[in-house]
């Protein structure tokens, strides 16, 4: 295999190839109408959602958040551990008391705007320091600023809130939002869980920087995204000493990637060979089982930089909680989350998401295959480079229907096209992961290895810290490989129903 492309420094792809392919009609008609929203999605101010085809209430129109400043104080619920969020005594003391200050810029003039916020109790709300009336209905927190805002105006909304945050169940049945654990709690956000623990513009199209400060009883740790700026303990009494952890995320982050993990953790702080800070937090019960795989994290980071281009963030790491604390791993920014000791493939997958998903983020939830297809293909490439099956062998097994242990799983690969999941309940199904990876493999076979690595590195470089959709991707591939014909790959593999006739 030619490795030259992987060694090549990432160049600005638009300088490499000046020919722009024109055969975009198929993909463009499936994209959202370009409009005034943060990344091309359209919604009017005060509307309940940003226009996501799968989660219509997610996000809001009229503004673009630039920064979230979240100050949280958490006291784990020490009442009956078998209580669920539904059965817990609603009069019980709040477990979370918080202030969110949201800095945003008006993208159109408006007199009311919405935030996404589910559950909890709003205690007060101000816009630019002045009290503002609000109403709540479902996940929409509707705010009337004291004076109408003109286009371009930057404004700060401060929301004080308290209560016990909700666990949200996804259309696909998985749990997210705020998840109490044996020794603390976890906040996981994909796709709509962040609105359970902070008010905001809960849609991947509106990315922002974050300061997340968490105060917990002394003896507990609080881990979040970005870099730890400070850790201070106040109070001396046996019961009242509390520790405050301040985390700073300087690169834009989608709401669904924000996390907080509260509990007992073994913390390891190191740096990679090129000086990147590594912060790894592991539940002591998972420490022994995790050690060997987590020791590979620097090597995986180096392999991914070599293949995908420069790492987009200013720190890396991992959070490992107990198995069962959540039903899935998640690519929380800087520091992916694992429910129990990860295996190597899952660590490769979640770290690959830092490029594909976290830095280049989908414009809408329809574009999920751009996350999961890439992260799955990263697993195939890792296997190929480390004495496992080649990507071609994995592709062939999937096409033949001999990849999974049972036929239903092998058939499920063809249930719908990767670019258009059937509904919100299916955005994390096999066509998005495996068939998405098969699309990338088809592109690789069409253009050859050297050009393929140029494409995946260039894609990460072009949309670094931004948003992109499937139409952006197909246009980019065509631009990067003039003279190659992708008609069948787009029509049959990416957008077509059923199993394509030829592998
Ligand atoms: N993105 C996760 C992964 O790394 C899987 C996942 C967790 C997910 N929660 C989700 C996917 C909600 C879609 C929706 O594969
Ligand atoms: Zn994934």
């Amino acid at each position: 295999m030619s490795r030259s492309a992987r060694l090549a420094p990432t160049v600005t792809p638009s300088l490499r190839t000046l020919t722009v392919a024109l055969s975009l009609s198929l993909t463009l008609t499936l994209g959202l109408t370009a409009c005034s929203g943060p990344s091309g999605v359209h919604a009017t101010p005060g509307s309940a959602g940003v226009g996501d085809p799968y989660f219509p209430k997610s996000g809001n129109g009229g503004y673009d958040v630039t920064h979230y400043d979240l100050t949280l104080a958490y006291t784990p619920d020490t009442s009956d551990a078998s209580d669920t969020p539904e059965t817990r005594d609603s009069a019980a003391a709040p477990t979370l008391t918080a202030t969110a200050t949201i800095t945003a810029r008006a993208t159109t003039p408006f007199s009311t705007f919405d935030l996404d916020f589910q559950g909890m109790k709003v205690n007060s709300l101000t816009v630019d320091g002045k009290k503002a009336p609000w109403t709540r209905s479902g996940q929409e927190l509707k705010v009337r600023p004291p004076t109408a805002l003109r286009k371009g105006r930057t404004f700060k909304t401060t929301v004080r809130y308290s209560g016990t945050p909700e666990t949200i169940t996804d259309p696909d049945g998985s749990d997210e939002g705020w998840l109490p654990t044996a020794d603390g709690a976890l906040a996981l956000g994909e796709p709509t869980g962040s609105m359970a623990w902070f008010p905001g513009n809960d849609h991947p199209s509106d990315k922002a920087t974050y300061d997340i400060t968490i105060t917990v009883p002394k003896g507990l740790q609080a881990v979040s995204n970005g870099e730890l700026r400070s850790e201070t303990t106040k109070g001396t009494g046996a019961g009242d000493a509390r520790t405050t952890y301040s985390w700073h995320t300087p690169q834009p982050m989608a709401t669904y990637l924000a996390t907080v993990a509260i509990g007992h953790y073994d913390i390891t702080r190191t740096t990679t060979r090129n000086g990147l800070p590594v912060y790894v937090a592991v539940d002591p019960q998972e420490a022994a089982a995790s050690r060997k795989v987590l020791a590979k994290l620097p090597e995986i980071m180096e392999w991914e930089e070599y293949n995908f281009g420069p790492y987009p963030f200013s720190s890396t790491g991992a959070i490992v909680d107990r198995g069962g604390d959540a039903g899935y791993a998640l690519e929380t920014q800087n520091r992916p989350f694992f429910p129990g000791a990860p295996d190597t493939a899952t660590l490769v997958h979640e770290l690959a998401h830092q490029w594909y998903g976290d830095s280049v983020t989908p414009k809408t939830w329809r574009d999920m295959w751009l996350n999961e297809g890439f992260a799955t293909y990263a697993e195939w490439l890792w296997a190929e480079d480390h004495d496992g099956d080649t990507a071609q062998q994995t592709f062939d097994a999937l096409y033949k229907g001999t990849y999974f242990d049972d036929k239903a799983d092998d058939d499920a690969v063809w249930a719908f096209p990767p670019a258009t999941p059937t509904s919100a309940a299916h955005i994390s199904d096999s066509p998005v992961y495996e068939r998405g990876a098969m699309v990338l493999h088809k592109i690789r076979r069409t253009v050859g290895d050297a050009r393929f690595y140029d494409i995946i590195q260039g894609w990460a470089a072009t949309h670094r810290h931004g948003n992109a959709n499937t139409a952006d991707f197909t246009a980019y591939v065509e631009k990067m490989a003039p003279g190659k014909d992708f008609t069948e790959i787009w029509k049959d593999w990416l957008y077509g129903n059923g199993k394509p006739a030829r592998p």
Side-chain angles (χ1 to χ4, degrees), residues 209-493:
T209 55
Y210 286 69
D211 281 294
I212 302 179
T213 300
I214 313 124
T215 300
V216 291
K218 185 184 169 202
L220 288 180
Q221 276 132 341
V223 183
S224 185
N225 314 91
E227 290 89 56
L228 183 61
R229 281 275 178 86
S230 66
E231 175 185 337
T232 53
T233 298
K234 287 204 179 105
T236 47
D240 72 348
R242 295 171 79 80
T243 306
T244 299
Y245 298 84
S246 292
W247 293 88
H248 177 63
T249 298
Q251 294 90 22
M253 177 165 75
T255 50
Y256 79 95
L257 298 168
T259 190
V260 168
I262 297 165
H264 298 291
Y265 297 102
D266 292 342
I267 308 288
T268 311
R269 301 181 76 159
T270 53
T271 49
T272 61
R273 276 201 289 189
N274 50 18
L276 186 71
V278 184
Y279 188 104
V280 175
V282 183
D283 186 296
Q285 290 191 12
E286 299 291 336
S290 304
R291 196 160 292 128
K292 239 177 109 177
V293 171
L294 291 177
K296 292 191 200 174
L297 191 143
E299 178 197 347
I300 295 170
M301 288 290 299
E302 270 181 38
W303 178 86
E304 295 195 344
E305 287 207 89
Y306 175 63
N307 287 287
F308 308 150
Y311 179 67
F313 304 123
S314 42
S315 64
T316 183
I319 301 168
V320 180
D321 234 315
R322 297 180 205 172
D325 282 350
Y328 48 80
L330 189 65
E331 62 269 28
T332 41
Q333 192 153 307
N334 305 92
R335 211 151 280 115
F337 166 83
F338 303 91
D343 57 23
T344 303
T346 309
L347 186 56
V348 167
H349 179 114
E350 303 307 337
L351 289 173
H353 272 310
Q354 303 300 313
W355 283 257
Y356 306 108
D358 295 14
S359 174
V360 183
T361 304
K363 279 182 183 169
T364 79
W365 290 112
R366 176 161 51 200
D367 308 310
M368 265 293 271
W369 81 277
L370 292 172
N371 287 10
E372 303 304 345
F374 272 83
T376 302
Y377 199 62
E379 294 179 53
W380 301 6
L381 291 172
W382 174 272
E384 177 170 298
D385 279 3
H386 295 82
D387 305 317
D389 288 348
T390 63
Q392 185 64 44
Q393 285 170 321
T394 306
F395 179 97
D396 290 342
L398 280 160
Y399 193 78
K400 270 189 253 151
T402 57
Y403 181 77
F404 292 104
D405 291 335
D406 70 272
K407 186 169 169 350
D409 288 341
D410 282 312
D411 289 347
V413 174
W414 314 109
F416 57 81
T420 55
T422 325
S423 70
H426 296 283
I427 60 166
S428 52
D429 286 3
S430 181
V432 174
Y433 284 71
E434 278 78 28
R435 190 168 161 185
M438 291 176 95
V439 169
L440 294 174
H441 189 69
K442 293 282 293 181
I443 294 167
R444 180 179 168 199
R445 272 182 18 207
T446 303
V447 302
D449 279 2
R451 183 58 55 91
F452 179 72
Y453 286 103
D454 284 352
I455 288 173
I456 61 174
Q457 290 189 12
W459 174 249
T462 301
H463 295 284
R464 180 181 166 95
H465 300 158
N467 292 89
N469 65 16
T470 303
D472 296 326
F473 180 71
T474 55
Y476 183 77
V477 172
E478 290 175 3
K479 186 177 87 168
M480 289 288 282
K484 298 284 184 192
D485 184 5
F486 298 96
T487 314
E488 194 180 299
I489 302 180
W490 304 158
K491 186 165 87 48
D492 296 344
W493 284 85

Side-chain angles (χ1 to χ4, degrees), residues 21-356:
L22 293 169
S23 54
L24 300 176
S25 53
L26 168 73
T27 50
L28 284 179
T29 53
L30 290 158
L32 284 169
T33 318
C35 197
S36 60
S39 62
V41 284
H42 170 80
T44 47
S47 68
V50 78
D52 191 280
Y54 292 72
F55 293 88
K57 289 184 193 147
S58 295
N60 305 283
Y63 63 92
D64 182 359
V65 178
T66 53
H67 186 72
Y68 290 94
D69 194 330
L70 310 176
T71 305
L72 316 170
Y74 186 67
T75 308
D77 183 359
T78 48
S79 63
D80 185 356
S82 68
D83 281 2
T84 65
E86 291 75 33
T87 62
R88 208 172 280 140
D89 180 0
S90 57
T95 55
L96 185 68
T97 303
T99 303
T101 297
I102 303 154
T103 308
R105 194 178 46 82
T107 52
T108 48
F110 58 79
S111 54
T112 67
F113 67 97
D114 279 28
L115 295 166
D116 298 300
F117 195 38
Q118 174 75 41
M120 306 276 296
K121 179 178 183 294
V122 175
N123 300 315
S124 73
L125 198 154
T126 62
V127 176
D128 288 334
K130 296 196 184 82
K131 277 197 157 78
W134 77 90
T135 57
R136 300 189 69 181
S137 159
Q139 74 177 64
E140 303 302 322
L141 168 58
K142 197 175 282 293
V143 181
R144 180 172 293 278
T147 51
L149 293 168
R150 57 179 167 72
K151 181 178 174 177
R153 187 42 211 286
T154 294
F155 62 104
K156 275 187 204 284
T157 306
T158 298
V159 185
R160 291 179 203 282
Y161 56 102
S162 59
T164 292
E166 289 184 10
T167 302
I168 292 173
T169 302
D170 272 356
D172 75 2
S174 58
D175 282 342
E176 66 203 48
W178 194 264
L179 309 171
T181 62
D183 61 346
L186 268 173
L188 297 177
E190 192 177 24
T192 63
S194 84
M195 64 177 175
W197 62 283
F198 66 91
N201 198 20
D202 192 7
H203 191 265
S205 59
D206 191 359
K207 296 162 73 165
T209 55
Y210 286 69
D211 281 294
I212 302 179
T213 300
I214 313 124
T215 300
V216 291
K218 185 184 169 202
L220 288 180
Q221 276 132 341
V223 183
S224 185
N225 314 91
E227 290 89 56
L228 183 61
R229 281 275 178 86
S230 66
E231 175 185 337
T232 53
T233 298
K234 287 204 179 105
T236 47
D240 72 348
R242 295 171 79 80
T243 306
T244 299
Y245 298 84
S246 292
W247 293 88
H248 177 63
T249 298
Q251 294 90 22
M253 177 165 75
T255 50
Y256 79 95
L257 298 168
T259 190
V260 168
I262 297 165
H264 298 291
Y265 297 102
D266 292 342
I267 308 288
T268 311
R269 301 181 76 159
T270 53
T271 49
T272 61
R273 276 201 289 189
N274 50 18
L276 186 71
V278 184
Y279 188 104
V280 175
V282 183
D283 186 296
Q285 290 191 12
E286 299 291 336
S290 304
R291 196 160 292 128
K292 239 177 109 177
V293 171
L294 291 177
K296 292 191 200 174
L297 191 143
E299 178 197 347
I300 295 170
M301 288 290 299
E302 270 181 38
W303 178 86
E304 295 195 344
E305 287 207 89
Y306 175 63
N307 287 287
F308 308 150
Y311 179 67
F313 304 123
S314 42
S315 64
T316 183
I319 301 168
V320 180
D321 234 315
R322 297 180 205 172
D325 282 350
Y328 48 80
L330 189 65
E331 62 269 28
T332 41
Q333 192 153 307
N334 305 92
R335 211 151 280 115
F337 166 83
F338 303 91
D343 57 23
T344 303
T346 309
L347 186 56
V348 167
H349 179 114
E350 303 307 337
L351 289 173
H353 272 310
Q354 303 300 313
W355 283 257
Y356 306 108

